[in-house]
Every structure is written in structure tokens, then in C-alpha cells.
């Protein structure tokens, strides 16, 4: 992407840069200099890569597919910040930007508001030439996206550590079972509240099941996994957790079926592979 940008910038603006000699900021002038000094020895192969990339995304998205991804790989810098982007951050940023920029796919970004004083957004990418389709789809989805933002803003993060506890006390208590049970109980309260607000989210049921498992409440864990799978039949974690719940009450045959369902969806899942091997020994 960057090499093609440099080539095309040079083709269009080299004469202007050399004639006007504009005063530019340090980072911009560095990039302009890289473009002006760019040699196009391998330009044909770069255009071949772009053509192949566009075809691959077209094959993935077809006429009605939309790729949803974060707009940025992390928090953007604050305005007038003296901090510079690290090369690691730039690499991550370009990995996101290049999907549409290199392939010529259309991309639209929807702002979601602010989190910890940073603006956040998501981006929608559709196949090359599908601009009108993408804009119509976003208009149709926008109200639903806003509803989800309002829902998320009403939910606090699940409590993991009580920050009111003195650090020394926390260290003493951390290895204590009662402390751990308290945290898992708080997680159950959190996800129960989330389910009251939105009972169609499989993740909430699946996460509450994980907390039930930690507390040894296997029937409740199994019931939550059942609900999660009614909402999302491809939820691997729900199969894993339901399998764990069934194995814990010695229901080995049904537990094995759940772990094999998980393997059908994720053939290399280590938890499911280990469970399958373990349960086969039990059943023999």
C-alpha cells in the first residue's frame, strides 16, 4: 500500500514539490521525501498484488458482504500532542487502513462516542464498487448500532478486583477461596443484570455459565449454555462450558458430544482435544 502510494504521489506531485518547495511538518516532509525519491523498479508486481487483493476481498464479501472492524488499532493521539506514533502502532494502523486502501474497497466509519476521553468508532468495508450498497446498509443499521451503544453504556465492567480493599489486605486475601467465590458471585450478578437489559445476547449467558462453573453450580451453568446455544448455535465456548458442566456430574457421554461439537467448529481447540481424549478413557 505504502509503496503504491509513494509511486502515485510522485507521479502526480513531484514537479509541484520541487517547484514550490512547501514548508511541511517533520513527519509529513519525511513521507513526501520518501515518495519523491521512490524508484519504481518493481511497480508492475505491486499492481499485480493489488489486483489479487481486490479479487480476494471480492470473493470473500461477494455482493452483499460487509467486513466490520475497528477503525484504529488503538487510541489515536490527542490533538497537539508532542508524542509521536511508534513504528509498532503505525504498523498496526496500516494493517487496518490497507484493507480498503490497497484493494479499492469502499469503507465508511461510524463514530460511537468517547471512551476514557478517546473518540472511538467502527468501520464497515464492502467490495470494490459497492459504495451505494454500503451506505444504504449503514443507514439501515445505524439506529440498531446506537441502541447497542446505549445498552453498553448502562453496563459497568464485571467486577474483578475490589479497588476499595487495601493492597496489603488484597494480597492476603487473594489466595483465599472466599475471596474468589465473592468475585465470581459478583460476576454472576453483573451478567444477570446484563441479561435483564438484553436477553438475546449469547455471550452474557455463556459468561455467566463460566462463573457458575467456578462456583460448582453445574446445573445452572448447563442451563445458561443451553440458552446461549439457542441464540448462537456456533458458540464454541458454550459447547466447552456445557461439556465441562456435564463432565463434572459424571455425564461423560453427553459431555463428549459437546466437546466434539466444539471440535467440529474449531478442530484445533486444545481444551476440546484434551477433553475428548480424557473422556474416551473414562468411557473405556
Amino acid at each position: 500500500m505504502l509503496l503504491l502510494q509513494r509511486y502515485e504521489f510522485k507521479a502526480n506531485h513531484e514537479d509541484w514539490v520541487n517547484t514550490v518547495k512547501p514548508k511541511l511538518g517533520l513527519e509529513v516532509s519525511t513521507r513526501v521525501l520518501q515518495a519523491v525519491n521512490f524508484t519504481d523498479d518493481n511497480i508492475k508486481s505491486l499492481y499485480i498484488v493489488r489486483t489479487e487483493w481486490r479479487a480476494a476481498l471480492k470473493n470473500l464479501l461477494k455482493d452483499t458482504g460487509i467486513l466490520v472492524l475497528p477503525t484504529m488499532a488503538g487510541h489515536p493521539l490527542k490533538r497537539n500532542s508532542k508524542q509521536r506514533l511508534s513504528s509498532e502502532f503505525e504498523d498496526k494502523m496500516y494493517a487496518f487502513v490497507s484493507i480498503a486502501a490497497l484493494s479499492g474497497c469502499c469503507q465508511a466509519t461510524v463514530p460511537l462516542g468517547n471512551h476514557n476521553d478517546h473518540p472511538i468508532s467502527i468501520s464497515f468495508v464492502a467490495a470494490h464498487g459497492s459504495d451505494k450498497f454500503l451506505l444504504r446498509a449503514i443507514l439501515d443499521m445505524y439506529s440498531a448500532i446506537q441502541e447497542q451503544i446505549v445498552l453498553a453504556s448502562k453496563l459497568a465492567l464485571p467486577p474483578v478486583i475490589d479497588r476499595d480493599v487495601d493492597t496489603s489486605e488484597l494480597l492476603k486475601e487473594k489466595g483465599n477461596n472466599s475471596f474468589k467465590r465473592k468475585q465470581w458471585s459478583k460476576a454472576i450478578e453483573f451478567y444477570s443484570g446484563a441479561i435483564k437489559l438484553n436477553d438475546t445476547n449469547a455471550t452474557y449467558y455463556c459468561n455467566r455459565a463460566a462463573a457458575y462453573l467456578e462456583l460448582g453450580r453445574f446445573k445452572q451453568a448447563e442451563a445458561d449454555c443451553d440458552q446461549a446455544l439457542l441464540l448462537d448455535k456456533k458458540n464454541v465456548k458454550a459447547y466447552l462450558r456445557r461439556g465441562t458442566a456435564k463432565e463434572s456430574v459424571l455425564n461423560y457421554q453427553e459431555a463428549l458430544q459437546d466437546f466434539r461439537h466444539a471440535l467440529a467448529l474449531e478442530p484445533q481447540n486444545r481444551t476440546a482435544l484434551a477433553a475428548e481424549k480424557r473422556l474416551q478413557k473414562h468411557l473405556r
Side-chain angles (χ1 to χ4, degrees):
M1 179 191 74
L2 290 174
L3 294 176
L4 280 172
Q5 283 182 350
R6 288 170 190 167
Y7 170 76
E8 293 175 354
F9 180 91
K10 180 177 181 178
N12 287 287
H13 303 298
E14 182 180 20
D15 290 343
W16 176 81
V17 171
N18 291 332
T19 303
V20 177
K21 302 186 186 307
K23 292 181 180 180
L24 304 168
L26 178 61
E27 289 191 15
V28 175
S29 62
T30 300
R31 291 173 185 174
V32 168
L33 191 63
Q34 287 175 331
V36 171
N37 294 331
F38 178 73
T39 55
D40 56 353
D41 300 336
N42 207 27
I43 197 64
K44 286 185 179 179
S45 63
L46 294 177
Y47 276 108
I48 290 171
V49 169
R50 185 170 76 174
T51 302
E52 290 176 349
W53 182 224
R54 180 178 295 178
L57 281 169
K58 179 68 175 177
N59 185 54
L60 172 70
L61 299 171
K62 304 294 191 295
D63 292 329
T64 56
I66 296 176
L67 181 65
V68 184
L69 69 161
T71 303
M72 295 284 285
H75 292 310
L77 294 179
K78 294 289 184 79
R79 184 181 296 171
N80 299 323
S81 172
K82 293 182 180 179
Q83 180 186 356
R84 295 184 64 184
L85 293 176
S86 67
S87 57
E88 182 183 3
F89 182 88
E90 283 195 346
D91 287 344
K92 289 180 180 177
M93 179 180 71
Y94 287 135
F96 283 91
V97 170
S98 65
I99 293 172
L102 181 59
S103 65
C105 287
C106 47
Q107 176 170 335
T109 296
V110 177
L112 302 181
N114 290 281
H115 179 67
N116 292 339
D117 295 327
H118 289 279
I120 55 173
S121 60
I122 52 174
S123 288
F124 299 86
V125 178
H128 176 69
S130 300
D131 304 57
K132 188 178 289 187
F133 156 74
L134 179 63
L135 290 173
R136 284 176 176 169
I138 291 174
L139 285 172
D140 289 341
M141 288 189 289
Y142 186 72
S143 60
I145 293 170
Q146 293 300 311
E147 287 175 9
Q148 290 299 312
I149 294 168
V150 171
L151 173 63
S153 68
K154 290 179 180 177
L155 299 174
L157 289 173
V160 177
I161 294 175
D162 185 355
R163 299 186 184 277
D164 294 329
V165 177
D166 181 78
T167 305
S168 59
E169 291 299 315
L170 183 62
L171 289 172
K172 290 177 187 175
E173 199 180 5
K174 196 167 184 181
N176 194 313
N177 284 335
S178 64
F179 173 76
K180 293 178 181 178
R181 291 181 68 84
K182 191 184 295 183
Q183 299 310 304
W184 288 115
S185 295
K186 287 182 178 180
I188 289 171
E189 288 178 16
F190 167 78
Y191 286 112
S192 296
I195 289 167
K196 284 182 181 178
L197 289 170
N198 180 5
D199 62 359
T200 61
N201 190 316
T203 301
Y204 295 159
Y205 288 100
C206 200
N207 288 348
R208 190 171 68 174
Y212 279 137
L213 284 174
E214 292 292 334
L215 295 175
R217 295 164 66 176
F218 303 120
K219 286 298 180 185
Q220 289 97 325
E222 184 179 341
D224 269 1
C225 291
D226 288 342
Q227 188 60 37
L229 290 167
L230 282 174
L231 296 167
D232 178 9
K233 292 180 180 179
K234 294 184 178 181
N235 193 315
V236 174
K237 287 183 179 179
Y239 283 117
L240 294 175
R241 288 167 188 171
R242 190 170 71 177
T244 300
K246 289 177 178 178
E247 183 181 2
S248 299
V249 295
L250 308 183
N251 188 352
Y252 296 143
Q253 189 63 55
E254 290 187 15
L256 181 59
Q257 290 176 1
D258 277 336
F259 287 119
R260 283 176 171 168
H261 274 301
L263 285 172
L265 295 167
E266 286 186 11
Q268 301 305 316
N269 188 288
R270 292 182 182 181
T271 301
L273 287 168
E276 182 184 40
K277 188 175 180 180
R278 183 175 63 249
L279 288 165
Q280 283 174 335
K281 283 184 179 179
H282 281 306
L283 290 169
R284 280 201 297 269

